Amino acid sequence: MVEYTGKRLIQLNINGEQFSLAVEPQETLLEVLRNQLGLTGTKDGCGTGECGACTVLMDGKPQLACLLLAIDCQQVKITTIEGLSTGRQLTSVQEAFLEEGAVQCGFCTPGMVLATSALLTENSRPSEKEIKKALEGHLCRCTGYNKIISAVQQASAKMTRNVT
Amino acid sequence: MGGLDYVGKRILRKDGPLKVTGQATYTVDIRPSGLLTGRILRSPHPHARILNIDISRALQLAGVRAVITAKDAPGIKHGFVETPRYPADQWPLAANRVRYVGEEIAAVAAVDSHVAAEALSLIRVDYEPLPAVFEPEEAMGTDAPEIHPRHPKITDPFSNIAGKTDSGWGDVAEGFARSHYVREDRFQSHLRTHGYLEPQVTVADFESSGKLNVWTSSQGPFIKRAKLARTLGLAQSAVRIHQAYVGGAFGGKIDLFSHEFCAALLSLKSGRPVKIEASRDEIFSAYRHGQPLIVELKTGVKKNGALLAQQIRVINNCGAYRGSGAVIIFLSWGFVMLPYRLPNLKYEGFAVYTNNSVRAPQRGHGAPQIRFAVDSQLDMIAAELGMDPIAIRLKNARQSGESLPNGDNVHNCGLSQCIQKAADHTGFQQKYGRKRSTAGPTDPVRRGIGIGVSSYFSGSLIYPNSSSVVVKMNDDGSATLLTGALDIGQGAETILCQIVAEELKIPMDEIEVIAADTETTPVDIGSWISGNAYVTGNAARVAATEVRKKLLELAAEELEANPDDLVVANKSVYVAGSPDRRLSYGQLIAAGIRKRRGDPLIGEGHWRTMKDVPFHPSLATTKGRWSENYAFDAQVAEVEVDTETGVVRLLRAVTAHDCGFPINPLLVEGQIDGQVSMALGHAFMEEVRMEAGRTLNPSFLEYRMPTIHQVAVSEHIDVITESYQKDRPYRTKEVGEGYVSAILAAIANAIYDAVGVRLFETPFTPEKILKGLGKI
C-alpha cells in the first residue's frame, strides 16, 4: 500500500494560468490535470510511459505526464491540449490532422498533436525521419501512422508558407 | 452518380474538432460527483475450487463503501453466445470455481484507489487448486481435466468442447478422387490482442429513482444494456447506457465484462457512482485476447488450377469460457466459402475450453487466420501446377451474381478486378519468381512479392440485428439525427450525417448527431459484425427520404405544384425550371406548424441485413443465410528479407478493394491503413506470451505493437461495384475488418518468393526465417 505523507500546496502554471493546488507527493501530473483540474484532454492510456497519450508540453518540450510527479512541475510552463488553441480556432497542426484523416478514435490525438506542435516549433521543415523520431513514443492503433506523417508534413508546409 | 454533394466525398470527420482539441469525452473522462473507485480481486490460479471468501476485514476498512462477491449477485450467467445449444456459461463473479488466472472473484468500492487496493488485499480467499490444461489439442484428450463438468456436452467423448461447427456440401471424397493434385498442410496462428488505447472502463451511477446510468467503453450500447440488465436482474428500462466516445475497440469491447457488472452492482449497493478502470496490466493479463487457430487443410485441384475439394479442420483455443469461440469456428467456415468457388467442402471446427483467459473477436474474427492458411497453400499448389499466383486466383474467384452454397447471393463481386488491378499496379507477374535482390547475387537482402485475397460480410442476424434511425427537422431548417450507432473511431457519425445531408441537401454542420444513448436513440446493430455503414446507413437513408417526402408534400401544397415537379437543393424546395417558386426548409416547417398544429417533421428508417428471419444461420451446422452483402479484396505485399539476420520488412502493401460504394473515401483509406498496420503487427511482432495461464508480457513495452517506425507504404485501389442511386438501397459494404486478412498470406507468400522459405506459423520471426534457410 502507498503510504500517505499528507498533501502539500504547490503552484502550477498550466496553459498560462497559475494554480495553487494541494496534492499528495506521489500524485502524478497526469492525475492532477485530469482529476483535480478536469483537463481530461490529456489521456491516460497505460500509466507507465509506453503509449504517449498523456503527452503535455513543459516549456515547449513534450513530456509524459504519467511519469512526472506534480510536485516536480512547479518551475515550468505546462501546456495541455486545452491550451493549444483558443475558442473554435484550430492550429495548423490540428487542422492538418483533420484534413489528412489522421484522427480516428482520437485517443492518441491530443498527445500526437502536442508532440507535432513541439517538433514544428523547433524544426519547421522536418524530414520524414525526423517526424518518426519525434513521434516514436506515441502509439496509434487506428491509423497505421501514414496519415499522421502526412498530417505533420501538411502542417509543416502550411506553417512554412505562412512564415515566408 | 452525378449531383452528389456529400456522399462519396472526402468529408472531414464530424467528431474531428472535438478530438483534436481534447474536448471529446471518453468514458475515462467521466467523473460524476461523489465518485467512488472500484477495483476487482482476481484469481491467482488457472483452475481452482473456491472454498471460502472472507470479506469482513475489507468491509471494516475506513473509506470502503461496498464489497461484493458472487453471493451479492443475482446468480445469472452470461455468454457471448446465448442459445439453447450454447447456453451462457460465465458468472459475472466466480461462484465456486475459478477457471483462469485473473477471473473475477470480488470487487470493492472505496473513496480512492489506494483504499480500494488495500481493501482487496484484506479479502481472504481459500482455494483448492485443480489440474489445469492450456493447449486445445491436449484439452480435447479424453483424460484432460474437465473445465465445465456440469455444462451440457457438445460432443462425446471430449469433455472440453465448447463449440462445434459441421458443414459441407458436395462430395469431398469424390472431389479428391477426381483431383489432379491433392495437398495437405497444417497452419497455426498465435495469440494477439486488440491493443485499444483507451482502457476498459465503466462508470455506473444508480439514481435513487431506480435508474442505473452507465457509461462504458464499448462497441454498442444496446447489447450492453441487454446483458447488463439481465445479469443484474433488472428490467432493460431500468438501465440507461449513455454515449461516450470510444478510444478504440477492434472487437475487444463487445460482450459483457465483469467490470461493467461490478461497477453497476457496487453502485446499487453503495448508492454512489462507481468507476472501474482496468489497468494496462489487467487488460493484458485478465481481459480478452484474439483467437489463434490451428488449421488442417487438405485441398484437391484440377490440372487447370480449379479447386475441386477442400477438407478443413479448425481448432480454436477459446479459453475458460466460450466467449466468441463458437462464433469464430462458424465464421472461419464462412471466410473459406466466400472468395473462391468451391464445389466440394467438408468443414469441421472445434472451439475448445482451456484454462486461459476468455477470447473475443479481434478485427477479422477468424478471417486472417483462415485466409493465411488457404492462400498460403494455394501458392504452393500453383507452384506444383506451374501456374502463377494470379492465374490460379483468377481461375477460382467468385463472380457477381453467384449463389453461395448456403443460399446467399454475391450480388456484386469485384474480386477478379481486385486481383487483376493489384497485380497490374505492382507489376506482380514481372517480379514474381525472380529471386530479386537489390544489389546483385551476393546481396544478403532479397525481395519478394506475394498476394492474398479475402472477403468479408457486412452485418448479420445477431442481436440487435437491425438498425433504426430518426431524422428530425428543426425550425431553422437544420436537422437532428438520432442513431444508436456508436463511433468507435471508424467514423459512424460522419457517414450517417453524409447520407442524411445528401438526401436532404442540408450542410454537414447543420446536422446534429445524437448517438448511442439507449434512452434517447433508436436501437442499433452496434459497431461490430461490420454492418454499420450498410445497415445503419440504409436506415439513415430511409429516415431522411421520409423527411424529404414530407417536405415535398408540404411544398406541393404551399407552391400549388405537383410533387413530382419539385426539386430539393440548398435547404429549399423549388419547382423545377422555376427557381423563383421556392420555399426554404424553415418556411416549410413554419407552414407545417401553422397548418398541422405543430406536427414536427420526423422521418424514421429501419433496416436489417436480411429479411428472411426464419433462415437465421446456425453456428453448429451453418445452415441458413448469413448476410446479403459481401466485400472483397486482393492484397499484394512486397517484402525485403535479410538472409543474414532473418529480419523481414514489409515495404509496400497494396489493397485493391471492393467495398461497394465508398460513402467517404477518406475514412475508407483510414480503415485500410489501420488494418494493414494491425496485420503487420500480426505478421512480425505482436504476441501475447503465456505460460500456465499467466501472461508473461503484460505491457505495451513487452507486447510490441507497430510504432511509427514500422509503417509500410499502404496503397489503395478502388474497385467500385455499386453505384449510389437516389431513393434506392445501395450496397455499400464492409470496410473495417476484411482487409486485415489477405495481407498475412500475401506476406507469407512474398517471403517464400524472396528466399524460398515457406512459413506455416505466425508470427514470421527472424528465427523461423533462419531455420527455414538452414542457418540455425
Side-chain angles (χ1 to χ4, degrees):
Chain A
M1 185 187 180
V2 178
E3 287 202 11
Y4 287 80
T5 49
K7 289 195 174 184
R8 285 170 54 178
L9 199 63
I10 62 163
Q11 306 290 315
L12 291 181
N13 184 319
I14 297 163
N15 300 331
E17 241 184 289
Q18 200 68 23
F19 292 89
S20 293
L21 298 163
V23 304
E24 285 164 14
Q26 78 277 11
E27 269 188 283
T28 64
L29 177 63
L30 178 62
E31 288 171 319
V32 171
L33 288 174
R34 289 181 55 81
N35 303 341
Q36 283 208 47
L37 298 173
L39 295 171
T40 53
T42 309
K43 298 301 178 197
D44 182 359
C46 67
T48 45
E50 290 152 17
C51 75
C54 67
T55 298
V56 296
L57 302 184
M58 293 182 74
D59 290 335
K61 300 240 183 307
Q63 296 285 345
L64 298 172
C66 75
L67 296 183
L68 292 163
L69 294 177
I71 54 170
D72 290 340
C73 302
Q74 300 193 74
Q75 308 303 324
V76 289
K77 288 184 178 169
I78 298 158
T79 307
T80 71
I81 190 72
E82 289 89 351
L84 198 66
S85 50
T86 48
R88 298 187 66 182
Q89 187 62 48
L90 301 180
T91 65
S92 310
V93 173
Q94 288 168 322
E95 273 173 6
F97 268 68
L98 290 183
E99 285 162 14
E100 291 294 319
V103 179
Q104 288 190 27
C105 88
F107 206 74
C108 70
T109 306
M112 289 274 190
V113 164
L114 284 169
T116 302
S117 305
L119 168 70
L120 296 181
T121 305
E122 225 163 66
N123 175 3
S124 60
R125 302 287 298 271
S127 64
E128 189 173 324
K129 203 173 164 190
E130 287 166 330
I131 293 170
K132 288 182 176 177
K133 185 77 194 151
L135 297 179
E136 65 187 355
H138 297 255
L139 291 177
C140 170
R141 193 56 158 167
C142 298
T143 64
Y145 303 102
N146 280 322
K147 287 187 181 297
I148 290 175
I149 296 170
S150 310
V152 181
Q153 287 166 336
Q154 200 220 93
S156 156
K158 253 190 197 173
M159 287 161 78
T160 323
R161 218 173 22 245
N162 289 346
V163 171
T164 51
Chain B
M1 284 195 283
L4 294 179
D5 295 323
Y6 301 99
V7 159
K9 308 281 182 202
R10 302 172 72 87
I11 285 178
L12 305 189
R13 292 186 74 92
K14 188 89 176 154
D15 54 4
L18 286 180
K19 287 179 171 173
V20 294
T21 53
Q23 292 172 67
T25 305
Y26 298 78
T27 305
V28 278
D29 304 327
I30 289 172
R31 289 184 60 84
S33 60
L35 185 65
L36 299 175
T37 299
R39 292 282 293 268
I40 292 176
L41 183 72
R42 300 178 176 280
S43 165
H45 299 287
H47 200 188
R49 200 165 278 127
I50 299 172
L51 303 176
N52 185 47
I53 306 174
D54 179 2
I55 59 168
S56 57
R57 287 171 68 210
L59 276 171
Q60 283 162 15
L61 184 69
V64 171
R65 295 286 179 268
V67 182
I68 54 169
T69 67
K71 283 184 184 161
D72 302 282
I76 298 164
K77 288 182 183 175
H78 68 98
F80 187 95
V81 178
E82 294 176 5
T83 64
R85 176 178 164 92
Y86 297 139
D89 62 356
Q90 186 171 12
W91 303 107
L93 281 169
N96 303 309
R97 191 191 270 243
V98 285
R99 295 178 171 86
Y100 67 93
V101 173
E103 183 162 359
E104 299 82 358
I105 293 169
V108 304
V111 291
D112 66 31
S113 59
H114 307 304
V115 179
E118 177 70 4
L120 287 189
S121 74
L122 295 174
I123 298 173
R124 188 192 154 108
V125 187
D126 298 323
Y127 299 97
E128 177 195 333
L130 296 168
V133 61
F134 305 100
E135 295 303 324
E137 282 167 310
E138 267 176 52
M140 287 172 88
T142 47
D143 55 348
E146 197 167 3
I147 297 170
H148 289 272
R150 292 194 188 150
H151 201 64
K153 294 286 164 279
I154 303 298
T155 56
D156 276 326
F158 306 129
S159 50
N160 288 319
I161 303 300
K164 182 161 191 257
T165 297
D166 261 313
S167 181
W169 48 81
D171 181 340
V172 280
E174 198 249 351
F176 287 129
R178 286 200 296 123
S179 292
H180 169 73
Y181 177 66
V182 176
R183 185 175 175 101
E184 280 185 75
D185 295 289
R186 179 182 157 105
F187 296 86
Q188 205 160 341
S189 40
H190 70 285
L191 187 63
R192 299 165 300 124
T193 200
H194 308 83
Y196 38 76
L197 277 200
E198 183 200 24
Q200 291 269 12
V201 57
T202 297
V203 176
D205 188 2
F206 182 68
E207 287 173 16
S208 49
S209 64
K211 173 78 72 184
L212 180 68
N213 296 290
V214 177
W215 294 258
T216 192
S217 187
S218 85
Q219 294 183 242
F222 289 91
I223 182 110
K224 290 285 185 187
R225 180 178 67 169
K227 295 205 170 187
L228 197 52
R230 209 165 69 72
T231 48
L232 289 164
L234 298 173
Q236 283 200 25
S237 59
V239 179
R240 177 178 183 181
I241 311 287
H242 294 258
Q243 198 270 345
Y245 283 108
V246 177
F250 314 108
K253 294 178 176 173
I254 293 170
D255 197 13
L256 181 72
F257 288 88
S258 289
H259 69 270
E260 296 170 314
F261 173 87
C262 289
L265 191 56
L266 287 166
S267 180
L268 289 172
K269 254 200 131 178
S270 66
R272 295 260 298 265
V274 175
K275 185 184 211 170
I276 300 184
E277 183 177 338
S279 69
R280 200 46 73 174
D281 190 312
E282 274 179 301
I283 292 169
F284 275 109
S285 301
Y287 277 72
R288 293 168 198 191
H289 300 311
Q291 311 188 55
L293 297 180
I294 295 166
V295 179
E296 292 171 353
L297 182 61
K298 180 178 174 184
T299 304
V301 290
K302 284 190 205 171
K303 233 177 211 160
N304 65 3
L307 291 165
L308 262 183
Q310 218 153 39
Q311 186 170 329
I312 303 177
R313 189 164 184 262
V314 168
I315 297 171
N316 157 244
N317 182 346
C318 78
Y321 296 94
R322 189 176 285 115
S324 72
V327 180
I328 195 171
I329 54 169
F330 161 82
L331 291 176
S332 300
W333 152 80
F335 301 132
V336 169
M337 170 182 73
L338 285 174
Y340 299 136
R341 231 168 290 116
L342 194 56
N344 303 290
L345 173 77
K346 179 172 166 41
Y347 177 93
E348 203 178 33
F350 295 94
V352 186
Y353 285 128
T354 59
N355 293 109
N356 293 299
S357 55
V358 190
R359 305 288 161 77
Q362 181 179 351
R363 204 173 207 171
H365 207 181
Q369 298 92 323
I370 198 89
R371 295 311 315 164
F372 161 55
V374 171
D375 271 303
S376 292
Q377 194 190 53
L378 197 65
D379 258 35
M380 293 187 264
I381 291 170
E384 285 291 332
L385 298 177
M387 291 180 81
D388 76 60
I390 305 303
I392 198 165
R393 285 174 174 79
L394 288 173
K395 180 92 206 159
N396 291 292
R398 288 206 181 277
Q399 304 299 324
S400 289
E402 275 185 34
S403 283
L404 296 172
N406 71 327
D408 283 354
N409 185 285
V410 180
H411 297 279
N412 45 54
C413 169
L415 182 57
S416 293
Q417 295 100 300
C418 287
I419 295 167
Q420 196 61 63
K421 284 192 173 188
D424 293 346
H425 182 80
T426 52
F428 191 98
Q429 276 136 322
Q430 293 79 53
K431 292 176 181 171
Y432 186 76
R434 297 285 184 273
K435 299 272 174 269
R436 289 174 300 130
S437 64
T438 27
T442 55
D443 185 3
V445 177
R446 297 279 153 179
R447 287 197 170 195
I449 191 165
I451 188 168
V453 311
S454 79
S455 174
Y456 216 80
F457 67 112
S458 313
S460 189
L461 288 172
I462 301 168
Y463 175 84
N465 48 34
S466 58
S467 288
S468 300
V469 164
V470 170
V471 173
K472 179 173 82 70
M473 294 301 295
N474 303 313
D475 289 358
D476 61 356
S478 67
T480 304
L481 160 64
L482 291 101
T483 169
L486 181 57
D487 203 316
I488 59 170
Q490 84 281 41
E493 290 187 5
T494 309
I495 63 153
L496 297 176
C497 255
Q498 283 179 261
I499 291 164
V500 172
E502 189 63 59
E503 299 298 333
L504 290 171
K505 300 295 182 192
I506 295 176
M508 291 284 288
D509 57 4
E510 292 187 44
I511 301 170
E512 187 67 32
V513 184
I514 296 184
D517 178 334
T518 54
E519 209 106 303
T520 58
T521 66
V523 72
D524 188 78
I525 192 167
S527 295
W528 52 301
I529 63 169
S530 288
N532 222 195
Y534 173 59
V535 181
T536 317
N538 269 308
R541 181 187 56 77
V542 172
T545 307
E546 192 182 318
V547 170
R548 197 180 63 211
K549 193 164 155 267
K550 288 180 180 176
L551 283 166
L552 289 174
E553 280 167 7
L554 266 172
E557 281 177 38
E558 293 294 300
L559 295 167
E560 294 178 351
N562 186 331
D564 294 340
D565 296 335
L566 296 175
V567 180
V568 167
N570 195 21
K571 284 175 67 185
S572 302
V573 180
Y574 66 93
V575 181
S578 309
D580 294 344
R581 291 175 69 194
R582 168 194 294 264
L583 286 171
S584 71
Y585 286 178
Q587 288 170 313
L588 285 170
I589 289 157
I593 292 169
R594 231 175 23 246
K595 286 192 162 176
R596 297 173 185 180
R597 301 184 184 179
D599 288 357
L601 283 188
I602 292 179
E604 53 184 81
H606 313 284
W607 201 264
R608 62 191 305 153
T609 181
M610 285 189 292
K611 292 182 181 72
D612 45 349
V613 184
F615 304 107
H616 196 290
S618 157
L619 292 178
T621 65
T622 77
K623 294 282 183 290
R625 294 190 55 202
W626 178 21
S627 178
E628 64 176 13
N629 186 314
Y630 297 103
F632 295 87
D633 69 290
Q635 291 179 300
V636 168
E638 293 200 56
V639 302
E640 206 168 66
V641 186
D642 187 326
T643 55
E644 282 175 1
T645 62
V647 171
V648 185
R649 279 205 313 134
L650 176 62
L651 301 173
R652 182 186 188 202
V654 175
T655 303
H657 61 106
D658 163 21
C659 69
F661 184 83
I663 307 287
N664 188 329
L666 189 64
L667 295 177
V668 169
E669 288 168 12
Q671 288 298 311
I672 295 172
D673 285 358
Q675 290 177 84
V676 166
S677 170
M678 196 171 273
L680 187 149
H682 186 166
F684 301 120
M685 9 177 7
E686 297 180 31
E687 183 170 13
V688 177
R689 301 191 78 105
M690 296 190 77
E691 196 177 276
R694 283 176 181 76
T695 302
L696 302 176
N697 55 340
S699 71
F700 281 135
L701 199 61
E702 297 154 303
Y703 179 84
R704 295 188 54 236
M705 299 195 314
T707 71
I708 201 163
H709 290 299
Q710 276 87 33
V711 293
V713 172
S714 171
E715 295 169 45
H716 330 101
I717 305 165
D718 292 326
V719 170
I720 298 175
T721 53
E722 178 76 9
S723 62
Y724 176 84
Q725 292 168 293
K726 259 186 152 15
D727 300 334
R728 291 187 54 193
Y730 54 98
R731 287 194 179 86
T732 187
K733 303 181 190 178
E734 186 280 329
V735 82
E737 291 205 73
Y739 308 148
V740 75
S741 308
I743 195 75
L744 209 55
I747 293 169
N749 289 335
I751 291 171
Y752 182 81
D753 182 47
V755 293
V757 174
R758 175 57 62 186
L759 296 173
F760 294 89
E761 285 179 24
T762 59
F764 309 141
T765 58
E767 289 82 355
K768 286 177 192 157
I769 303 285
L770 292 176
K771 258 187 197 161
L773 289 169
K775 293 193 172 177
I776 55 172

